[in-house]
Amino acid sequence: MATLFIADLHLQTEEPAITAGFLRFLAGTAREADALYILGDLFEAWIGDDDPNPLHQQIAQAIKALVDSGVPCYFIHGNRDFLLGKRFARLSGMQLLPQEQVLNLYGRKVLIMHGDTLCTDDVGYQAFRAKVHQPWLQRLFLALPLFIRRRIAMQMRAGSKAANSSKSIAIMDVNQHAVVNAMETHQVQWLIHGHTHRPKVHQLIANNAAAFRAVLGAWHSEGSMVRVTESDVELITFPF
Ligand code: LP5
Ligand code: MN
């Protein structure tokens, strides 16, 4: 049997092919799994569980069908959907996990996270993240009318795009010390994350031994997943 990991689908009404690919994945490949873990940025931008966007209902129903078929589904927040809350979790049957979680998969200890917290060289982003993760600010934002929240999210997306265009590729990647530090804190030889959209399995040294970091790809024109079995950890791309 296998446990599956995906991240960075960035689902939005404007990208129906990605939604269709995800729905097919949920009704097909995922049904055979022991569990499905979604490691953040499932949605392009989440402004509250009360957003009546029909896409959200459709996705909740599809995930619920998977869960009801006997495949548990877990979610770690990304930097686009960190406001996804208990109401959507209940609707979809997903279980919300903290930002870092260690799993024991078939005897292998694996650390999972979205990956944005590893990008410690991106000082501007880390400052932004610290601000928008303040509970009082989130409560204030969620109390605003939806049209204002939508406008603020659009301004943040525009600000982010503008900021990213002047950042180097290296700054927006993970920091090696942050990676080793996370793996040594949790005493693991495997790490799976997304966020950087640079799919690859990297080899490194952590805890004075060989260690591996599997980076999930974003779902642009094809799907990306990590499949963990008793004998293997594979990074797989597949057509929608
Ligand atoms: O997301 P992406 O790929 O463009 O870049 C990320 C980092 N950017 C972000 C910002 C998100 O895109 C914004 C998402 C909105 C979610 C919904 C709204 C919820 C609001 C809640 C309020 C409590 O995560 C980017 C990283 C990049 O990944 C690579 O790691 O570099 O970081 C930034 O761009 C941060 C900048 O350095 C500074 C941010 C500018 C934001 C401008 C704010 C304007 C707000 C106006 C409000 C009135
Ligand atoms: Mn991300």
Side-chain angles (χ1 to χ4, degrees):
M1 288 293 276
T3 300
L4 306 183
F5 299 83
I6 57 173
D8 302 296
L9 287 79
H10 294 270
L11 297 176
Q12 52 182 316
T13 315
E14 293 74 15
E15 294 282 356
I18 302 175
T19 300
F22 182 49
L23 294 174
R24 207 165 302 132
F25 172 81
L26 289 175
T29 313
R31 294 286 164 120
E32 310 297 320
D34 287 329
L36 172 66
Y37 288 83
I38 303 174
L39 305 187
D41 290 0
L42 174 61
F43 294 99
E44 173 72 358
W46 194 265
I47 56 169
D49 292 6
D50 56 338
D51 183 350
N53 187 339
L55 170 70
H56 301 173
Q57 312 304 316
Q58 191 187 13
I59 296 301
Q61 277 171 20
I63 294 174
K64 186 74 170 53
L66 175 72
V67 172
D68 288 346
S69 80
V71 181
C73 184
Y74 302 91
F75 181 79
I76 291 184
H77 295 102
N79 58 300
R80 303 289 193 88
D81 49 18
F82 56 90
L83 287 178
L84 191 147
K86 289 189 185 135
R87 179 164 149 190
F88 188 79
R90 208 175 315 116
L91 208 62
S92 61
M94 288 197 299
Q95 299 177 50
L96 303 180
L97 297 178
Q99 65 181 35
E100 294 183 359
Q101 178 79 38
V102 177
L103 308 175
N104 189 326
L105 298 173
Y106 320 105
R108 194 192 306 265
K109 260 176 88 180
V110 180
L111 173 62
I112 56 171
M113 60 176 75
H114 179 56
D116 56 330
T117 51
L118 298 171
C119 301
T120 52
D121 295 330
D122 194 342
V123 178
Y125 170 64
Q126 295 303 335
F128 170 79
R129 186 180 194 280
K131 278 199 195 93
V132 297
H133 274 258
Q134 295 175 104
W136 70 267
L137 189 61
Q138 295 189 355
R139 273 198 301 275
L140 184 73
F141 178 81
L142 291 171
L144 295 170
L146 271 164
F147 79 97
I148 296 181
R149 278 183 264 163
R150 227 168 261 133
R151 207 176 286 166
I152 292 174
M154 271 167 59
Q155 280 169 7
M156 284 183 174
R157 291 291 308 117
S160 182
K161 279 183 194 153
N164 290 1
S165 64
S166 62
K167 284 182 198 170
S168 73
I169 302 267
I171 279 181
M172 289 192 285
D173 203 353
V174 300
N175 173 289
Q176 286 311 320
H177 298 292
V179 169
V180 171
N181 186 38
M183 296 181 83
E184 295 191 339
T185 300
H186 292 284
Q187 292 289 299
V188 294
Q189 302 312 114
W190 274 94
L191 166 62
I192 303 174
H193 70 83
H195 182 66
T196 59
H197 301 188
R198 300 179 207 195
K200 190 174 167 159
V201 180
H202 300 264
Q203 195 171 348
L204 62 141
I205 300 289
N207 304 298
N208 296 313
F212 303 87
R213 176 171 70 94
V215 187
L216 289 155
W219 288 40
H220 290 311
S221 48
E222 55 187 7
S224 173
M225 68 170 163
V226 165
R227 186 169 177 272
V228 179
T229 60
E230 236 177 271
S231 56
D232 251 325
V233 178
E234 302 166 278
L235 175 63
I236 299 168
T237 54
F238 51 94
F240 292 151

